[in-house]
Amino acid sequence: MSPEERFAVLWTDYLEGELQESSLAELRELLADDEQRLRHAVDLYQTHRLLTLAAEHRPGRQREFVDRVMQRLPRTSERFVGDVMADVELLAAPKPTKTLPTQIDQAGQQRPPLRPAAVIMVAAAVMLLAIVSAAIYQQNRGLDVNDLSSEIAESQSPKRSRGDGVRFANLAHAKFFGELQPPVDSPLKPQRDYVLMKGLAEVRFPAGASAIIEGPAVFRVVSDDCLGMDIGKCSVHAPDGAEGFRIETPMMRVVDRGTRFTVNVAETSETEVHVVEGAADIYENEDSPVDQTINTNVDVTQKTQVRLTDGQAQRFAVTSSLASDSIPYDPNLYRRGLPDRVIAYEATSNDAGYADRLLRLTLQRDGMIETIDADQLIPARVTYFNASQGGGYLCGPRSFSGESDQAKLDAAGHETTLNRRAEWSSDDRLVTGVINPGGSKQPLKSDPVLLGDDTTPGMAIRFDEPIVNGIGDDLVIFDLQAFANPPDGDAFHLSPMKFRDGLRSYTVDMFDLTMESPGARDLADFFVHMYPSVVRSLEELESLPTEPRRQSIRFRGLVVGIDLTDLGYAPNETVQELFIQDALDDKHHVDPVLIGGLPPRR
C-alpha cells in the first residue's frame, strides 16, 4: 500500500473515531512527511467537522466560540494552515517527562516531542473553532461566510465564468448550513461553497445540464458548465446541447459526453462514478487551478485516463496518480427526479398581509407538477379526541357561534357526533382547528381504543367521502408552528383505524414545507382556547368552558403530503378514517389545523 493509500485509510479511521492508539504515530509521520498531505488532511477535517457540527443544531455552543477565536481568523488559506500548525506546536507541547525523549529545535534548544494524539486533536479543535467562528461572525454581520472564501479563491485563481445562469431548479427537504433554504429559481453564487446538510437540491445550468445533489454535501458552481463537488453524491443529466458538462472533485474531473451518470465523493476524496447512459471521460486533476476558458467538449490536449460507458462503474482512490478499480454498477444510485411532495400553497391575506384561508396547493405527484384548488380537497372531520396534557385544544376566533344550539341532525334526522367546535377542523382556514391531541412515543400497532376507561390518546378523523390511494400523495395536513418551535414541524404518527396484515403506522418527522421554506406563509392572528382540565373525549372538547387567549407571537403554516402506500394500503384502495397521535418527541404537540383528502390524479 502506497503512503497516500495508507494515509487515506488512517485518516478515515480518525474521522470516524476508529483509529487505534498504535496507529497514531504512523499517521503523525505521514502528516509530517508531506506538506501537501497535511493540507489535504486540513481540508478533509474542515468538511467533516463542519457537517457534523451543522447537524447538531447547537447555536449556543457555536456562539461561545466567537469571542475566543475571532481574532485568530486567517486572511488566506496559506496562513490558515500555518496558523493551525503554529497553534499545534504551541498548545500541544507537553511538559518534559523522564519517559519521553527530547528533540532539538532550530535554536538549538531541547524541547519535548508532540504527542501524536494531541497534535491531531488540537489541530482539529483549532480548525473547528476557526470555521464556526467565521460562519457565525459573518452571519451576524449580515454576510455569508462563503463570500469571504470566494474572494480568497478569486484572488488566487484565474478569471472564471461567473455562472450567473446557474439556478436552483427545485429543492426537497433541503437544509443548508448557516442559512435558510433558498427560493426555487434563485441563482447560485459562483465559487461560493454550499453546505447541504440534508435533503435534495436540483441545480440547473444554462446549457440544459442538471445535477440532483443529495445531502450531506459540499458543492459550488465553478462555471456555467462545471459543478465542483468536495463531498457528497450527485446525479447528472446532460441532454443534447450540454455535452462537455463536467463535475470536478478534489482529485479528478468527470466530463460528460451526452449521458446520465452518478458521482459520489467520500470525505477522503475517494470517488465512485456510475454511468447510466452514454459515456463519461475521467481526467486526473492538475495541481494548478483548471483554466475554465477551455471548452472540454473539444479539448484534445488532455489524455483521457478512463472512459466509462453504459452500465459501467469504477472507484477512484487517492494515490500519487489516478488509480481506479472496477466496481459493480448500481443503477439505483441514480436519481432521476425529486420525490413527490407539496411544493407550495397560496392563501388569502388579511389587512396585515398574513395568510388566513387556503386557496390552492401546488404539489408533485408521480413526478408531475399539478395545482389543486382548496375547494377540491375532501374535508376531514374530528370524530374522537383524547389529550395527553392540559392546555389549549382549539384555535380560531375569540368566541364560538351557536353555543346554545342543540346537536346537529344529519339528512336522515339522526344526531351527528359533531357540533360547532370540532367543525373548526373542517373549514379552509389555516388558523382554526382542533389542536394538541394526545400521543405516544411508539406508534400504534393495533386498533386505537375509543371506548372505556383506558382509551387511546390522539384524535380520529373521518373524510366526507373515501380518499383513494393513488400515485403519490393522497392527503395533506397543515400544522401551525411558532418560530420558537421545531423548524421541521411537530412529529406525529398517522395510523389506520382498523389494522390488518400489511397495514402499519407512519411517522412524519419532517414537513414538506418547514419553517425555513420560502413558500411557508406567516399566519393571521388567532385565539387559543384554554381548557380547565385535560380533555379526554370529544364531548368534553365541545362542552367544557374555555378561556380564549390571543396569540401575540408569530406562527407559520407548514404542510406535508401523505401517501397512503406508506401506511400499507394497496393501490386504488379507499380509506375514510385515520388516527393521529403526536410523537411525544418533545414538549410541543402537533396542531393539525387543516386536513384534506386529495382528489385522484387525473
Side-chain angles (χ1 to χ4, degrees):
M1 184 180 295
S2 70
E4 289 78 11
E5 293 172 323
R6 183 59 179 162
F7 160 72
V9 172
L10 294 177
W11 192 245
T12 300
D13 287 345
Y14 170 69
L15 292 177
E16 298 301 325
E18 300 174 354
L19 185 64
Q20 301 297 319
E21 186 74 22
S22 58
S23 300
L24 283 172
E26 182 182 359
L27 178 57
R28 179 194 173 195
E29 291 177 3
L30 288 170
L31 290 173
D33 288 345
D34 191 317
E35 182 179 355
Q36 188 63 32
R37 193 179 296 143
L38 172 61
R39 289 173 180 270
H40 185 50
V42 169
D43 292 339
L44 290 173
Y45 194 88
Q46 288 187 66
T47 299
H48 180 86
R49 292 305 297 157
L50 180 60
L51 289 171
T52 301
L53 182 67
E56 288 178 354
H57 296 297
R58 288 192 277 178
R61 174 171 172 254
Q62 297 171 7
R63 185 170 296 278
E64 69 185 20
F65 292 154
V66 177
D67 294 335
R68 291 187 294 171
V69 190
M70 188 51 58
Q71 66 273 16
R72 297 162 63 186
L73 289 178
R75 295 184 179 275
T76 66
S77 57
E78 287 82 1
R79 183 177 168 187
F80 175 68
V81 176
D83 287 351
V84 168
M85 297 317 297
D87 287 330
V88 169
E89 293 289 336
L90 178 63
L91 298 175
K95 296 179 180 180
T97 67
K98 293 181 180 180
T99 59
L100 290 176
T102 58
Q103 297 177 346
I104 306 298
D105 62 18
Q106 293 180 352
Q109 301 295 320
Q110 287 188 335
R111 62 176 176 83
L114 299 180
R115 300 181 189 272
V119 171
I120 297 173
M121 294 182 68
V122 174
V126 174
M127 285 184 285
L128 181 57
L129 291 174
I131 295 165
V132 177
S133 299
I136 297 174
Y137 178 69
Q138 296 295 343
Q139 187 176 2
N140 289 344
R141 292 175 55 204
L143 300 174
D144 195 306
V145 63
N146 293 297
D147 292 341
L148 179 63
S149 61
S150 296
E151 292 173 7
I152 294 172
E154 205 169 314
S155 65
Q156 298 173 351
S157 304
K159 189 67 176 179
R160 300 186 178 189
S161 170
R162 288 189 52 81
D164 290 333
V166 183
R167 296 183 175 273
F168 284 108
N170 232 323
L171 300 124
H173 298 158
K175 276 186 170 295
F176 290 85
F177 176 71
E179 60 184 308
L180 297 178
Q181 185 184 113
V184 172
D185 202 40
S186 62
L188 284 80
K189 296 179 181 178
Q191 301 301 333
R192 175 203 190 279
D193 288 334
Y194 290 86
V195 180
L196 179 64
M197 299 189 301
K198 62 188 296 186
L200 302 168
E202 182 179 4
V203 178
R204 185 153 296 162
F205 290 76
S210 63
I212 296 178
I213 301 165
E214 303 183 34
V218 179
F219 64 96
R220 77 188 60 81
V221 173
V222 179
S223 72
D224 277 353
D225 57 3
C226 180
L227 177 69
M229 288 288 297
D230 287 349
I231 184 173
K233 186 175 78 170
C234 68
S235 300
V236 175
H237 176 218
D240 293 344
E243 296 88 349
F245 176 81
R246 63 192 183 279
I247 300 292
E248 285 196 2
T249 77
M251 63 174 293
M252 54 184 264
R253 73 185 66 167
V254 184
V255 182
D256 161 69
R257 303 302 180 190
T259 185
R260 296 178 187 266
F261 62 87
T262 299
V263 176
N264 194 0
V265 186
E267 291 177 346
T268 57
S269 297
E270 185 178 79
T271 303
E272 290 185 9
V273 180
H274 295 248
V275 175
V276 181
E277 300 171 9
D281 292 340
I282 291 87
Y283 301 88
E284 183 176 5
N285 259 351
E286 303 169 359
D287 291 336
S288 59
V290 180
D291 184 359
Q292 300 303 326
T293 62
I294 296 176
N295 183 340
T296 56
N297 193 37
V298 297
D299 178 33
V300 295
T301 63
Q302 301 179 86
K303 180 181 178 181
T304 301
Q305 301 292 321
V306 177
R307 167 163 285 197
L308 300 178
T309 57
D310 296 19
Q312 291 185 332
Q314 289 201 18
R315 179 184 294 115
F316 300 86
V318 180
T319 63
S320 56
S321 61
L322 193 66
S324 63
D325 295 309
S326 294
I327 58 175
Y329 166 69
D330 186 355
N332 295 321
L333 292 177
Y334 185 82
R335 185 178 289 276
R336 292 181 178 269
L338 271 60
D340 290 346
R341 68 206 181 282
V342 178
I343 297 174
Y345 65 87
E346 298 177 47
T348 62
S349 299
N350 63 9
D351 293 341
Y354 297 124
D356 187 359
R357 294 183 179 275
L358 180 68
L359 290 175
R360 60 190 61 88
L361 286 163
T362 299
L363 63 157
Q364 176 182 307
R365 292 200 287 181
D366 194 23
M368 306 296 291
I369 307 298
E370 59 181 306
T371 299
I372 296 175
D373 291 335
D375 60 9
Q376 295 179 273
L377 297 179
I378 302 170
R381 304 182 184 277
V382 178
T383 59
Y384 168 89
F385 187 85
N386 184 356
S388 300
Q389 60 183 15
Y393 308 116
L394 289 169
C395 66
R398 180 182 181 89
S399 61
F400 304 111
S401 61
E403 284 282 59
S404 61
D405 290 354
Q406 297 296 318
K408 296 174 65 177
L409 302 181
D410 62 18
H414 299 112
E415 193 173 284
T416 65
T417 58
L418 299 179
N419 66 25
R420 301 287 184 178
R421 294 186 185 183
E423 288 181 349
W424 281 6
S425 286
S426 307
D427 59 18
D428 58 3
R429 299 192 66 190
L430 301 179
V431 291
T432 63
V434 179
I435 60 175
N436 293 322
S440 169
K441 291 186 178 181
Q442 299 300 321
L444 291 176
K445 295 183 178 180
S446 59
D447 299 354
V449 178
L450 306 183
L451 298 174
D453 295 331
D454 191 19
T455 54
T456 303
M459 61 186 290
I461 58 170
R462 179 181 177 86
F463 294 93
D464 282 1
E465 61 184 74
I467 56 175
V468 179
N469 181 23
I471 299 176
D473 291 338
D474 305 300
L475 68 144
V476 293
I477 298 178
F478 280 83
D479 177 45
L480 57 80
Q481 189 79 330
F483 281 84
N485 291 357
D488 291 341
D490 293 314
F492 67 92
H493 310 304
L494 190 66
S495 307
M497 288 291 287
K498 298 292 183 181
F499 280 77
R500 65 162 195 269
D501 288 345
L503 294 187
R504 56 189 176 271
S505 296
Y506 175 67
T507 300
V508 174
D509 54 17
M510 184 175 186
F511 281 64
D512 291 340
L513 294 186
T514 69
M515 296 293 289
E516 299 173 327
S517 300
R521 293 281 307 275
D522 289 355
L523 298 178
D525 293 339
F526 58 90
F527 288 84
V528 171
H529 289 261
M530 308 301 295
Y531 280 71
S533 60
V534 178
V535 169
R536 300 296 188 185
S537 68
L538 192 62
E539 181 182 3
E540 291 181 353
L541 182 79
E542 297 287 359
S543 61
L544 290 178
T546 68
E547 177 188 345
R549 295 181 184 176
R550 178 183 288 275
Q551 294 305 292
S552 58
I553 61 176
R554 195 83 268 141
F555 283 76
R556 183 164 287 180
L558 314 187
V559 60
V560 62
I562 305 292
D563 186 346
L564 289 173
T565 301
D566 291 327
L567 281 76
Y569 289 104
N572 298 317
E573 185 174 357
T574 59
V575 177
Q576 193 158 11
E577 293 182 295
L578 293 168
F579 198 79
I580 297 174
Q581 291 183 298
D582 187 83
L584 298 187
D585 56 330
D586 54 35
K587 64 180 181 180
H588 308 288
H589 282 211
V590 66
D591 302 316
V593 290
L594 191 157
I595 304 172
L598 296 172
R601 185 170 172 270
R602 294 185 294 272

